[in-house]
Amino acid sequence: MRIAGRHFRTIWRAENGDVLVIDQTRLPFEFETVRLAGLEEAAHAIRSMMVRGAPLIGATAAYGVALAMRRDPSDAHLAHAVELLRGTRPTAVNLAWALEQMTAALACPAEARAERAFARAAEICDRDVALCEAIGAHGLSIFERRFQEKGRKGPLDVLTHCNAGWLACVDWGTALAPIYKAHDAGLPIHVWVDETRPRNQGGSLTAYELGAHGVPHTIIADNTGGHLMQRGRVDLAIVGTDRTTSNGDVCNKIGTYLKALAAFDNKVPFYVALPSTTIDWALAHGAEIPIEERDARELSHITGRTAAGALETVAIYPPASAALNVGFDVTPARYVTGLITERGTCPASRDGLLTLFPEQARVAA
Ligand code: MRU
């Protein structure tokens, strides 16, 4: 997508073969790229959330393996790289998927590994872009239908939670891809952007990228969506996911479940957009997903820009109070109107998913 008129992906290779990413911890105030020259830097970028979002975590892990192979392509170093990267973030399944892809691609003589690894990582990135764009096209037809149902009056009001845009992927995004497609096709659209505490990926990243693309949007506190739904001010909700199990349960950024409950109560369609790389076919229920707990400091402190223009982090709560920072929650499939994938939209159920991905019937839990 475009930043100040220039097309960017979230991850790409520098001329000397290093990997470049956007430091998302500095957005929306500073657009800075960071050079990843080795495995440890790639692992740090994921752990520190310099890069984040399920598909981008997978892409960065793939390049992390490639950077490791550039330095030392031995079996031992490959195993070390995979284990180190696997431990960086537990919830998004794209990480494990990408590491499996890399391991399979690197079953070759050590001398061939570095080149092969960079080629496979690039393929993973290109494929993610294609999957997200296809999700955008399928989602667009849902948006157009909903716009007709609303009598083509006013903008289509769409609510989203967290950031599932191009910054969470390689390009386009998952939940935001249909929004970009709709906007580009001239469908009047307005997005309610959940702030998404504690790290505010909605307010800082979703709002930033929608703004850069010229999509009308309004940031709301996380607790506002239910009220807006009661007042008929949300036509549909769409979110991404970090892992969806074979029965259609959706794990996504903390707070998604509450939005789904409010949408269900108010008969607001609640869609989840995901590439098939985010489906964990081996798990039968969302309750089996490991849920990341992060440093309580993300809750008790907040970073912003001062009037003087500096980025500063300040404490906002009583220092002695305990704080719990759970990263994700699970929305049961029954609250999901449909899963929008690169192959089309299906009910959030095992049968629904297998209609689109019949080749997974033997592995689906
Ligand atoms: O903790 P993050 O920022 O890595 O969270 C991931 C997300 O961006 C969201 O949960 C998103 O909605 C799914 S990833 C497209």
Side-chain angles (χ1 to χ4, degrees), residues 171-238:
D171 207 345
W172 283 103
T174 56
L176 295 200
I179 291 172
Y180 290 128
K181 290 274 181 191
H183 177 78
D184 293 352
L187 190 144
I189 190 160
H190 164 260
V191 185
W192 297 113
V193 176
D194 275 359
E195 188 179 28
T196 319
R197 284 282 290 144
R199 283 189 72 115
N200 295 328
Q201 289 97 325
S204 57
L205 303 177
T206 300
Y208 172 78
E209 58 165 279
L210 289 175
H213 199 80
V215 180
H217 62 279
T218 307
I219 299 169
I220 52 174
D222 291 332
N223 300 330
T224 311
H227 165 76
L228 293 175
M229 289 181 197
Q230 284 177 329
R231 297 292 165 104
R233 298 182 67 187
V234 181
D235 296 311
L236 71 85
I238 185 165

Side-chain angles (χ1 to χ4, degrees), residues 63-314:
Y63 271 121
V65 172
L67 290 167
M69 293 300 91
R70 183 172 72 167
R71 184 169 303 161
D72 170 4
S74 66
D75 287 358
H77 197 53
L78 175 58
H80 165 69
V82 168
E83 279 327 295
L84 181 77
L85 290 160
R86 197 191 302 283
T88 50
R89 302 265 327 255
T91 303
V93 79
N94 303 58
L95 174 65
W97 175 86
L99 292 172
E100 268 165 35
Q101 298 292 311
M102 294 303 287
T103 307
L106 299 183
C108 62
E111 321 75 78
R113 279 190 181 142
E115 197 182 332
R116 234 188 234 202
F118 278 109
R120 186 71 190 107
E123 278 166 16
I124 286 173
C125 290
D126 289 345
R127 179 155 180 259
D128 186 67
V129 177
L131 299 187
C132 286
E133 188 167 7
I135 288 168
H138 294 301
L140 172 60
S141 51
I142 292 171
F143 283 23
E144 286 171 336
R145 209 169 51 236
R146 194 79 187 121
F147 189 57
Q148 301 289 346
E149 282 165 11
K150 124 171 230 198
R152 304 178 63 83
K153 281 192 300 293
L156 185 75
D157 284 304
V158 175
L159 182 140
T160 192
H161 188 72
C162 195
N163 171 259
W166 72 273
L167 288 167
C169 304
V170 178
D171 207 345
W172 283 103
T174 56
L176 295 200
I179 291 172
Y180 290 128
K181 290 274 181 191
H183 177 78
D184 293 352
L187 190 144
I189 190 160
H190 164 260
V191 185
W192 297 113
V193 176
D194 275 359
E195 188 179 28
T196 319
R197 284 282 290 144
R199 283 189 72 115
N200 295 328
Q201 289 97 325
S204 57
L205 303 177
T206 300
Y208 172 78
E209 58 165 279
L210 289 175
H213 199 80
V215 180
H217 62 279
T218 307
I219 299 169
I220 52 174
D222 291 332
N223 300 330
T224 311
H227 165 76
L228 293 175
M229 289 181 197
Q230 284 177 329
R231 297 292 165 104
R233 298 182 67 187
V234 181
D235 296 311
L236 71 85
I238 185 165
V239 298
T241 166
D242 298 87
R243 191 184 303 215
T244 287
T245 49
S246 62
N247 69 336
D249 284 350
V250 169
C251 181
N252 193 46
K253 183 53 59 189
I254 194 82
T256 302
Y257 170 49
L258 293 178
K259 287 306 130 62
L261 286 178
F264 189 77
D265 189 45
N266 290 284
K267 301 188 175 42
V268 171
F270 187 91
Y271 287 97
V272 179
L274 70 162
S276 52
T277 48
T278 305
I279 303 168
D280 189 341
W281 295 102
L283 295 191
H285 299 284
E288 298 167 43
I289 297 174
I291 301 290
E292 178 179 16
E293 276 185 28
R294 296 183 60 86
D295 192 336
R297 199 179 149 84
E298 292 182 347
L299 192 58
S300 61
H301 289 65
I302 203 154
T303 302
R305 187 162 66 175
T306 65
L311 282 190
E312 270 186 25
T313 301
V314 295

